[in-house]
Amino acid sequence: MLLYRAGHRALKRLRRDGLRPEDVRVLVGPASGPKWLIFPGVDRVLMEKGFGVPRNGGGHRLLVGSSAGAWRMLAFAARRPLEAYERLIDGYVSQTFPMPVRAKDVTPAYRRMLAEVFTDDDLDAITSHPHADVAIHVTRVFDPYPWSYRAAQIAAIAMGMAVHRLWTG
């Protein structure tokens, strides 16, 4: 069951016409860590029903994501979205890391995984589609950083929010 949050006119239209791909201008894939693995069924249906990159016209769509959400949006925009998505799932769940897990081990592993998931054809489709844009949100953290300290994490997140607020007005 889906919960729609919409204004009066929009809700009336949804009830009358249903949710149509041409009504969606932005698709967002939030950072979710491994929790994104609960979405494959939903993502597959969205891809099959045309809610990814518009094919054969169909307006313009912005796909926005960060972290694993960005990877999902890249799969949505790939030349063959369902195939790229399946490779993404397989690549993600097969990752293993030595304990303790460190950024210096994770970053290269994910770079390798993404290079295997997204073919040159996919990258061409993602970067050259005339009716879609993919926006990837990132934050770069420089080592050494005391991520093991909760207060430092909170301060860093607050600083990032403040800078974003100042930057975007």
Side-chain angles (χ1 to χ4, degrees), residues 91-149:
Y92 187 85
V93 299
S94 67
Q95 294 291 317
T96 59
F97 301 100
M99 295 302 280
V101 178
R102 298 177 306 210
K104 73 176 196 162
D105 299 321
V106 173
T107 300
Y110 282 136
R111 283 187 179 151
R112 282 189 304 275
M113 178 199 71
L114 293 171
E116 292 172 8
V117 168
F118 298 106
T119 66
D120 288 341
D121 281 348
D122 291 327
L123 298 177
D124 287 343
I126 292 164
T127 58
S128 65
H129 198 286
H131 303 292
D133 293 307
V134 178
I136 299 173
H137 291 252
V138 298
T139 300
R140 184 165 183 185
V141 178
F142 296 94
D143 285 332
Y145 197 82
W147 284 113
S148 59
Y149 301 105

Side-chain angles (χ1 to χ4, degrees), residues 1-162:
M1 184 163 102
L2 294 175
L3 171 65
Y4 292 100
R5 294 189 186 263
H8 176 70
R9 285 186 4 217
L11 189 57
K12 184 177 177 181
R13 183 173 173 185
L14 283 169
R15 287 184 174 139
R16 183 186 70 228
D17 301 331
L19 182 62
R20 303 172 306 172
E22 58 270 19
D23 297 330
V24 177
R25 292 189 195 137
V26 178
L27 191 61
V28 179
S32 60
K35 293 184 295 283
W36 76 274
L37 292 171
I38 65 171
F39 294 117
V42 172
D43 284 346
R44 286 182 191 110
V45 169
L46 289 173
M47 288 178 199
E48 290 168 357
K49 299 291 183 181
F51 286 91
V53 170
R55 306 286 179 201
N56 305 321
H60 191 274
R61 188 156 305 127
L62 174 62
L63 293 94
V64 181
S66 60
S67 189
W71 304 344
R72 289 173 53 222
M73 295 303 101
L74 290 170
F76 270 82
R79 176 96 51 218
R80 287 173 293 286
L82 290 168
E83 292 174 24
Y85 196 82
E86 294 305 320
R87 289 192 305 269
L88 179 60
I89 292 170
D90 291 343
Y92 187 85
V93 299
S94 67
Q95 294 291 317
T96 59
F97 301 100
M99 295 302 280
V101 178
R102 298 177 306 210
K104 73 176 196 162
D105 299 321
V106 173
T107 300
Y110 282 136
R111 283 187 179 151
R112 282 189 304 275
M113 178 199 71
L114 293 171
E116 292 172 8
V117 168
F118 298 106
T119 66
D120 288 341
D121 281 348
D122 291 327
L123 298 177
D124 287 343
I126 292 164
T127 58
S128 65
H129 198 286
H131 303 292
D133 293 307
V134 178
I136 299 173
H137 291 252
V138 298
T139 300
R140 184 165 183 185
V141 178
F142 296 94
D143 285 332
Y145 197 82
W147 284 113
S148 59
Y149 301 105
R150 186 163 177 78
Q153 290 178 1
I154 292 169
I157 291 168
M159 177 73 83
M161 290 170 58

